[in-house]
Amino acid sequence: MANYNVKIFISYREGILDPQGVAVEKAAHSLGFEKVKNVRVGKYITMEIEASSKEEVENEIREMAKRFLVNPVIEEYTFEITENSQ
Amino acid sequence: MANYNVKIFISYREGILDPQGVAVEKAAHSLGFEKVKNVRVGKYITMEIEASSKEEVENEIREMAKRFLVNPVIEEYTFEITENSQ
């Protein structure tokens, strides 16, 4: 068994209204950051998973995404896995 | 002027209580994903910035982080910049 560090990035699909992104963009503009556009605010989830292979970790992530982490109608996700050397 | 794609990853500092992370971890365990631990939920912000150099983009991000994006007492952040080829 090895320990893996996992990063999951969840964002709204294109075309889905993202109120937090709109709020951040407005704040940026009103503070003088006028060249900022297309702001989207999503979730950045990190975790550790114990597994016997990277493939097993991938399967766990996909299964968790499907079961409860991601709403596929409005969200999409990507992930990164690194083996923890400790 | 060029257009840059920016990704900003904001997470709670170690030792800071992360209620959303605790909730996701509990949900994972109760659904049978028992080998998941140390779950932390942060923010994943994407945006485009128009600038004349990558250094200018870095400065904008650091300034926005300081002014309103990040609370340095409880949060830390990293970012990635890629030049948009379009």
Side-chain angles (χ1 to χ4, degrees), chain B residues 16-46:
Chain B
I16 300 290
L17 181 71
D18 172 8
Q20 254 196 103
V22 172
V24 169
E25 187 163 326
K26 279 188 186 163
H29 292 172
S30 73
L31 289 167
F33 302 96
E34 281 148 21
K35 286 168 182 162
V36 168
K37 62 179 185 179
N38 221 348
V39 180
R40 314 281 287 172
V41 178
K43 273 179 262 180
Y44 169 51
I45 302 179
T46 58

Side-chain angles (χ1 to χ4, degrees), chain B residues 22-85:
Chain B
V22 172
V24 169
E25 187 163 326
K26 279 188 186 163
H29 292 172
S30 73
L31 289 167
F33 302 96
E34 281 148 21
K35 286 168 182 162
V36 168
K37 62 179 185 179
N38 221 348
V39 180
R40 314 281 287 172
V41 178
K43 273 179 262 180
Y44 169 51
I45 302 179
T46 58
M47 58 179 70
E48 289 170 48
I49 299 181
E50 208 171 89
S52 50
S53 70
K54 199 172 168 179
E55 289 65 39
E56 195 184 322
V57 179
E58 284 177 15
N59 290 338
E60 289 266 296
I61 296 169
R62 291 211 178 87
E63 195 61 30
M64 281 192 285
K66 197 158 75 177
R67 295 281 296 282
F68 71 102
L69 275 186
V70 178
N71 178 344
V73 177
I74 58 168
E75 294 171 332
E76 57 193 5
Y77 72 104
T78 57
F79 58 82
E80 286 173 18
I81 303 169
T82 48
E83 191 170 343
N84 196 334
S85 51

Side-chain angles (χ1 to χ4, degrees), chain A residues 1 3 9-11 20 24 27-28 31 33 35-51 56 60 63-64 67-69 80, chain B residues 1 3 9-11 20 24 27-28 31 33 35-51 56 60 63-64 67-69 80:
Chain A
M1 289 296 239
N3 192 52
F9 313 100
I10 303 173
S11 50
Q20 253 197 104
V24 169
L31 289 168
F33 302 96
K35 286 168 183 161
V36 168
K37 63 179 183 180
N38 222 346
V39 181
R40 314 282 283 173
V41 178
K43 272 178 263 181
Y44 169 48
I45 302 180
T46 59
M47 60 178 69
E48 291 169 48
I49 299 182
E50 209 172 88
E56 195 185 322
E60 288 267 295
E63 195 61 28
M64 282 193 285
R67 297 280 298 280
F68 70 101
L69 276 185
E80 285 172 19
Chain B
M1 289 296 238
N3 193 52
F9 313 98
I10 304 173
S11 52
Q20 254 196 103
V24 169
L31 289 167
F33 302 96
K35 286 168 182 162
V36 168
K37 62 179 185 179
N38 221 348
V39 180
R40 314 281 287 172
V41 178
K43 273 179 262 180
Y44 169 51
I45 302 179
T46 58
M47 58 179 70
E48 289 170 48
I49 299 181
E50 208 171 89
E56 195 184 322
E60 289 266 296
E63 195 61 30
M64 281 192 285
R67 295 281 296 282
F68 71 102
L69 275 186
E80 286 173 18

Side-chain angles (χ1 to χ4, degrees), chain A:
Chain A
M1 289 296 239
N3 192 52
Y4 294 85
N5 289 320
V6 173
K7 296 178 180 179
I8 304 172
F9 313 100
I10 303 173
S11 50
Y12 287 107
R13 290 185 179 281
E14 228 174 288
I16 299 291
L17 181 70
D18 172 9
Q20 253 197 104
V22 172
V24 169
E25 186 163 327
K26 279 187 185 162
H29 292 172
S30 73
L31 289 168
F33 302 96
E34 281 148 21
K35 286 168 183 161
V36 168
K37 63 179 183 180
N38 222 346
V39 181
R40 314 282 283 173
V41 178
K43 272 178 263 181
Y44 169 48
I45 302 180
T46 59
M47 60 178 69
E48 291 169 48
I49 299 182
E50 209 172 88
S52 51
S53 70
K54 200 171 167 179
E55 288 65 39
E56 195 185 322
V57 178
E58 283 177 17
N59 289 339
E60 288 267 295
I61 297 168
R62 292 210 177 87
E63 195 61 28
M64 282 193 285
K66 198 158 74 175
R67 297 280 298 280
F68 70 101
L69 276 185
V70 179
N71 178 344
V73 177
I74 59 169
E75 294 171 331
E76 58 196 2
Y77 73 104
T78 57
F79 58 83
E80 285 172 19
I81 303 169
T82 49
E83 191 171 342
N84 197 334
S85 50
Q86 287 182 306

